[in-house]
């Protein structure tokens, strides 16, 4: 067995009953895993202490990917609102839904950098059918990766060379941004890979292919403390070295959309896969955020 998995680790199925599971995040205070069931327009929550799963919220405007901000609040994408929003104490606040006066497509996945900036992808999957959102016209004419500086109220298009950007995550030092392109979902000649970008002086440069996904797509992924990329694919979870070499394939009996680390010590990998939530024990954990650069603080307003 791979040294990336705990001795004797096996895949556990924790819950079955979603249509399309996405957007997992571990909530340390609740010892719970929250995730989206996008077509059912609801948010689910698995509680690790008793093993129970509840419907956390319904009629949620088709939430998708989510993460925690520097204060521990949930930041998530909404296909229905065509927005990125924050949920704190049960209240949802839209952080951004327009760029240069035009509506976003349907934000898909999101990360928060050490400076508090909110980075997200904006493919069209929430506006091309009523299954995961509502049919609507794209407005700005692209599918970009954006960076929101909340303090300045500035939304910047950081990456504009992808077909349909989807999952994203930083390397542990935040000098590399990984973004998957799932354009192949709508055009068989389009990409099914993860790209890497160097983040230098506030720009994403040196765009390159990091890893090709051979089965299905990389819908979402996380980076561990040793800079390895743990990504979804059509037949399980695949782990890549920082050089893009595949280290491990964890077979999962359903199409996997996204993953996240969680559990009391952060070493459980939660896997959102179609109708089910799975878990497997690893020997690593999510990369911690680097210390923020004191010269360029971007702390959100209280
Ligand atoms: Mg996604």
């Amino acid at each position: 067995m791979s040294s990336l998995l705990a001795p004797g680790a096996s895949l556990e199925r924790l819950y079955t009953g979603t249509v399309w599971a996405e957007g997992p995040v571990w909530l340390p205070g609740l010892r719970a895993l929250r995730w989206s069931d996008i077509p059912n327009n609801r948010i689910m929550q698995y509680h690790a202490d008793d093993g129970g799963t509840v419907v956390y919220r319904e009629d949620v405007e088709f939430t998708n990917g989510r993460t925690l901000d520097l204060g521990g609040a949930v930041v998530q994408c909404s296909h229905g609102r065509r927005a990125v929003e924050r949920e704190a104490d049960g209240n949802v606040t839209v952080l951004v839904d327009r760029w240069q006066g035009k509506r976003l497509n349907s934000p898909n996945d999101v990360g928060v950098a050490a400076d508090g900036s909110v980075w997200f992808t904006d493919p069209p999957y929430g506006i091309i059918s009523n299954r995961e959102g509502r049919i609507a016209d794209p407005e700005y004419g692209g599918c970009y990766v954006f960076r929101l500086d909340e303090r300045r109220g500035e939304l910047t298009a950081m990456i504009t060379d992808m077909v349909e950007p989807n999952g994203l995550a930083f390397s542990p030092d935040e000098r590399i941004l990984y973004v998957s392109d799932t354009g192949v979902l709508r055009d068989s000649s389009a990409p099914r890979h993860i790209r890497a970008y160097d983040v230098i002086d506030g720009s994403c440069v040196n765009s390159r292919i990091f890893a090709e996904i051979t089965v299905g797509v990389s819908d979402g992924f996380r980076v561990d403390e040793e800079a390895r990329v743990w990504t979804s694919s059509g037949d399980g979870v695949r782990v890549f070295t920082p050089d893009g070499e595949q280290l491990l394939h964890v077979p999962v009996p359903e199409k996997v959309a996204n993953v996240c680390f969680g559990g009391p010590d952060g070493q459980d990998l939660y896997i959102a896969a179609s109708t089910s939530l799975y878990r497997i024990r690893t020997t690593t954990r999510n990369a911690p955020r680097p210390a923020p650069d004191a010269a360029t603080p971007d702390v959100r307003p209280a």
Side-chain angles (χ1 to χ4, degrees):
M1 179 175 281
S2 166
S3 62
L4 292 176
L5 299 178
S10 62
L11 188 72
E12 300 173 83
R13 186 163 61 194
L14 304 173
Y15 175 82
T16 295
T18 54
V19 171
W20 181 242
E22 243 285 14
V25 73
W26 175 255
L27 306 175
L30 294 176
R31 297 163 68 92
L33 191 288
R34 184 177 293 178
W35 81 103
S36 298
D37 180 4
I38 306 177
N40 279 325
N41 196 13
R42 61 184 184 170
I43 299 172
M44 311 297 291
Q45 206 158 273
Y46 167 81
H47 290 265
D49 288 342
D50 65 7
T53 293
V54 299
V55 177
Y56 170 66
R57 280 193 157 194
E58 297 182 280
D59 298 322
V60 293
E61 291 296 337
F62 304 95
T63 65
N64 192 335
R66 54 176 57 77
T67 190
L68 299 183
D69 69 15
L70 302 187
V74 171
V75 172
Q76 65 193 12
C77 298
S78 164
H79 288 178
R81 291 191 182 93
R82 302 174 71 172
V84 177
E85 59 195 26
R86 175 177 288 115
E87 188 193 304
D89 301 325
N91 300 310
V92 173
T93 310
V94 169
L95 301 183
V96 65
D97 61 0
R98 283 168 198 272
W99 179 63
Q100 296 187 345
K102 299 195 166 76
R103 296 190 76 180
L104 299 171
N105 299 320
S106 49
N108 189 293
D109 217 339
V110 60
V112 172
D115 67 358
S117 58
V118 178
W119 297 61
F120 62 94
T121 58
D122 192 34
Y125 306 124
I127 57 171
I128 56 175
S129 80
N130 291 319
R131 182 174 185 266
E132 297 193 3
R134 297 186 190 88
I135 293 177
D137 292 328
E139 295 196 5
Y140 66 83
C143 294
Y144 297 163
V145 179
F146 290 101
R147 175 185 187 270
L148 174 66
D149 179 332
E150 276 190 85
R151 193 168 56 88
R152 297 188 178 88
E154 288 175 2
L155 184 67
T156 306
M158 303 299 293
I159 294 173
T160 60
D161 72 340
M162 300 186 72
V163 179
E164 292 178 354
N166 197 323
L168 80 173
F170 286 101
S171 63
D173 60 9
E174 294 191 355
R175 291 182 183 180
I176 299 173
L177 178 66
Y178 299 100
V179 189
S180 62
D181 195 325
T182 53
V184 70
L185 291 173
R186 299 202 301 148
D187 173 357
S188 61
S189 65
R192 60 165 87 228
H193 58 221
I194 300 174
R195 301 191 76 82
Y197 298 79
D198 295 325
V199 184
I200 298 176
D201 295 334
S203 297
C204 292
V205 299
N206 194 18
S207 172
R208 58 202 184 267
I209 295 174
F210 167 72
E212 294 280 358
I213 305 300
T214 53
V215 181
V217 297
S218 166
D219 196 327
F221 53 89
R222 292 293 199 272
V223 176
D224 73 22
E225 57 191 356
E226 303 293 331
R228 294 169 295 231
V229 175
W230 295 65
T231 181
S232 67
S233 69
D235 62 353
V237 177
R238 290 162 191 278
V239 185
F240 293 93
T241 67
D243 296 325
E245 180 187 331
Q246 185 172 310
L247 275 176
L248 176 66
H249 171 219
V250 180
V252 176
E254 299 186 67
K255 193 183 292 183
V256 178
N258 215 330
V259 301
C260 75
F261 289 97
D265 62 3
Q267 296 190 19
D268 294 328
L269 186 75
Y270 284 90
I271 302 167
S274 303
T275 72
S276 303
L277 179 71
Y278 296 86
R279 178 173 64 192
I280 194 163
R281 185 88 183 132
T282 77
T283 55
T284 186
R285 53 172 64 82
N286 206 74
R289 284 193 184 101
D293 176 1
T296 54
D298 177 16
V299 178
R300 69 186 172 94

